[in-house]
Amino acid sequence: MQALLCTEPGRLDVVQRPRPEDKAGHIRLRVEAIGICGTDYHIYDGNQPFLAYPRVMGHELAARALQDSADGRIASGDLVVVNPYITCGICHACRIGKPNCCEAIGVLGVHRDGGMCEEIVVPEANVYAATGLDATAAAMVEFLAIGAHGVRRSRLVAGSTALVVGAGPIGMGAALFAHVAGARVTLRDTSPDRLALAQGILPDVICQTVANAGPEAFDTVFDATGNINAMNAGLTLVAHGGSYVLLSVVKGDLSFPDPEFHKREATLIASRNALEEDFRHVMDCMARGLVPVEAIATHRTTLDGAATDLPKWAADRGTVMKALIHV
């Protein structure tokens, strides 16, 4: 089969590889669309520390089942969404229903080969029927579920104020689902171009540059910057009694004054990956027309074309919200 291989940092090759072997408890899928994630750009750039090259990237996946699942949930020919977090099922996090932070998690396209290829074989439990969706929408479910998970973790209430710092795909997803939950949402970034792109997708969200931001504090603040300095500064944006949700994860130490944290009686929340209920919430919102799928999908290519297009987009991410590869 054909696959897009990141042979080493800065090099992509379209190669021929054997089709994956069948495995008990797994289901064979034909990949139809792959969303390109910030992680994929980092892998290409050589900035992903926990990765061995060569690697087939791709974890935002829409695929077509090539066989029935043993549990009867999926029929051959069904369009499905793939949950790319392969978990151990036995660690403490898995036992308490939080496989998103499994102690031995393996993410498709990062810790093991992913979906930038024609076929994959994945655990049946990681496949959800994408009823009523097309491949473009289905390929966006995973990254949107990360924002949806953060919003659910925050427990924000309708009518409250929410600030999302960082207007990339994850931040845009958090802003979208905070709005769906009924919050009055502000989206903030340093890039006017990125904000203009986000405003076209989310016209009901207030978009403002960091330079033009006022002193207002917010009931819930989400950080999606991937910048440790912004993460450390974000506490000052949290209203007294508010919550600070960290969607970003970076190398570095969180550091802010304890008196500032305590006088706010702030709640600090880490949000990692997503759970099945987040995937299903995103798909339900898509089916209800609450997610502007076509506006989010700003760029498209093919498996062959991605070898040229992905490097271009990696170098100019300010004009890309979500790029997809159609197989």
Side-chain angles (χ1 to χ4, degrees):
M1 67 173 183
Q2 194 177 58
L4 182 66
L5 187 68
C6 189
T7 310
E8 60 187 21
R11 179 176 173 183
L12 296 174
D13 295 306
V14 179
V15 301
Q16 290 295 322
R17 299 188 117 201
R19 295 183 186 277
E21 296 182 358
D22 290 324
K23 188 176 180 180
H26 289 53
I27 186 170
R28 181 176 295 275
L29 309 173
R30 185 181 74 243
V31 179
E32 292 203 355
I34 310 111
I36 300 175
C37 175
T39 298
D40 301 318
Y41 295 125
H42 291 319
I43 293 170
Y44 172 76
D45 288 334
N47 297 324
Q48 171 51 255
F50 305 113
L51 181 130
Y53 296 88
R55 177 64 72 224
V56 175
M57 301 180 295
H59 62 272
E60 300 178 4
L61 306 176
R64 191 75 57 177
L66 293 177
Q67 57 192 178
D68 297 341
S69 64
D71 59 15
R73 292 183 305 108
I74 305 296
S76 179
D78 284 353
L79 182 70
V80 300
V81 169
V82 177
N83 180 334
Y85 321 130
I86 311 300
T87 60
C88 72
I90 58 174
C91 72
H92 175 72
C94 287
R95 293 198 309 272
I96 64 170
K98 300 194 70 174
N100 59 306
C101 51
C102 168
E103 295 171 26
I105 200 166
V107 181
L108 292 176
V110 181
H111 305 103
R112 60 189 72 186
D113 283 341
M116 291 188 184
C117 57
E118 293 182 294
E119 286 187 15
I120 56 172
V121 173
V122 299
E124 288 185 355
N126 287 68
V127 174
Y128 314 136
T131 306
L133 305 185
D134 62 15
T136 296
M140 294 184 187
V141 171
E142 189 273 340
F143 94 85
L144 290 170
I146 292 174
H149 181 71
V151 170
R152 186 164 60 83
R153 293 265 294 144
S154 76
R155 299 182 181 178
L156 64 76
V157 298
S160 65
T161 59
L163 171 68
V164 179
V165 187
I170 299 301
M172 190 274 303
L176 169 62
F177 287 98
H179 176 68
V180 168
R184 291 177 283 125
V185 182
T186 298
L187 182 60
R188 201 173 279 178
D189 201 283
T190 57
S191 168
D193 290 340
R194 175 69 78 178
L195 286 168
L197 192 60
Q199 188 74 82
I201 296 169
L202 302 174
D204 295 325
V205 168
I206 299 168
C207 291
Q208 58 186 213
T209 63
V210 171
N212 293 328
E216 179 185 4
F218 298 82
D219 297 310
T220 309
V221 176
F222 300 89
D223 179 88
T225 63
N227 182 294
I228 192 63
N229 293 323
M231 294 165 72
N232 284 333
L235 178 67
T236 62
L237 305 171
V238 180
H240 284 230
S243 297
Y244 188 24
V245 184
L246 301 179
L247 301 172
S248 298
V249 56
V250 298
K251 282 188 173 183
D253 295 329
L254 283 173
S255 176
F256 35 70
D258 183 62
E260 291 296 326
F261 184 70
H262 268 81
K263 78 181 184 182
R264 287 168 169 76
E265 197 180 46
T267 300
L268 180 64
I269 301 171
S271 182
R272 186 183 184 193
N273 299 327
L275 292 167
E276 179 176 350
E277 60 191 288
D278 303 307
F279 281 73
R280 297 199 179 280
H281 177 53
V282 172
M283 289 192 282
D284 176 65
C285 288
M286 285 178 164
R288 291 161 56 198
L290 300 178
V291 179
V293 170
E294 291 303 318
I296 297 171
T298 55
H299 295 69
R300 301 172 192 258
T301 189
T302 63
L303 206 55
D304 285 325
T308 301
D309 290 332
L310 192 151
K312 289 191 301 185
W313 297 333
D316 189 22
R317 292 171 60 187
T319 62
V320 180
M321 184 58 73
K322 179 53 60 176
L324 297 108
I325 299 170
H326 290 272
V327 181

